[in-house]
Amino acid sequence: MSFLRELAPDGIDRILDYFDANGVFRSVVMDGRLCFRHTPARFPPEVWNMHEATKLSEARTNNACESWNNGFKHLVGHANPSLWNVTK
């Protein structure tokens, strides 16, 4: 992470902090030295990795409702319709 921080453009500190906090390796300072410790990932690859789905020609999105929501929005003519508009 320190190498990435050296190369990164200004303004992306929050992104780097996110990956540092949620990644498998987290940087810590011990005895004045920057060290890395292996920790379990907060979001394991099984949750977000689409490699197997791609190999099996399955859907590569984890949002299966997106198409339905989009179709419903067009059907009722509004993104957040009231119950009254839906029943009309």
Side-chain angles (χ1 to χ4, degrees), residues 76 81-88:
V76 298
S82 69
L83 179 61
W84 304 114
N85 286 340
V86 171
T87 56
K88 285 181 188 178

Side-chain angles (χ1 to χ4, degrees), residues 14-30:
R14 289 181 61 195
I15 295 171
L16 294 173
D17 291 342
Y18 173 84
F19 282 107
D20 192 23
N22 294 298
V24 176
F25 291 96
R26 298 197 180 135
S27 58
V28 293
V29 177
M30 296 175 64

Side-chain angles (χ1 to χ4, degrees), residues 64-75:
C65 299
E66 187 69 30
S67 178
W68 187 92
N69 288 330
N70 191 38
F72 185 73
K73 177 179 76 172
H74 284 83
L75 177 69

Side-chain angles (χ1 to χ4, degrees), residues 1-8 16 34 36:
M1 287 304 297
S2 60
F3 179 72
L4 286 177
R5 289 183 191 280
E6 289 176 20
L7 297 177
L16 294 173
L34 182 65
F36 293 94

Side-chain angles (χ1 to χ4, degrees), residues 21-77:
N22 294 298
V24 176
F25 291 96
R26 298 197 180 135
S27 58
V28 293
V29 177
M30 296 175 64
D31 298 325
R33 295 183 7 224
L34 182 65
C35 301
F36 293 94
R37 62 184 170 128
H38 186 270
T39 60
R42 182 180 290 180
F43 305 105
E46 298 80 33
V47 172
W48 55 264
N49 190 312
M50 294 292 123
H51 180 73
E52 285 299 318
T54 302
K55 287 188 342 186
L56 299 173
S57 297
E58 296 176 349
R60 291 176 290 180
T61 178
N62 57 4
N63 188 358
C65 299
E66 187 69 30
S67 178
W68 187 92
N69 288 330
N70 191 38
F72 185 73
K73 177 179 76 172
H74 284 83
L75 177 69
V76 298

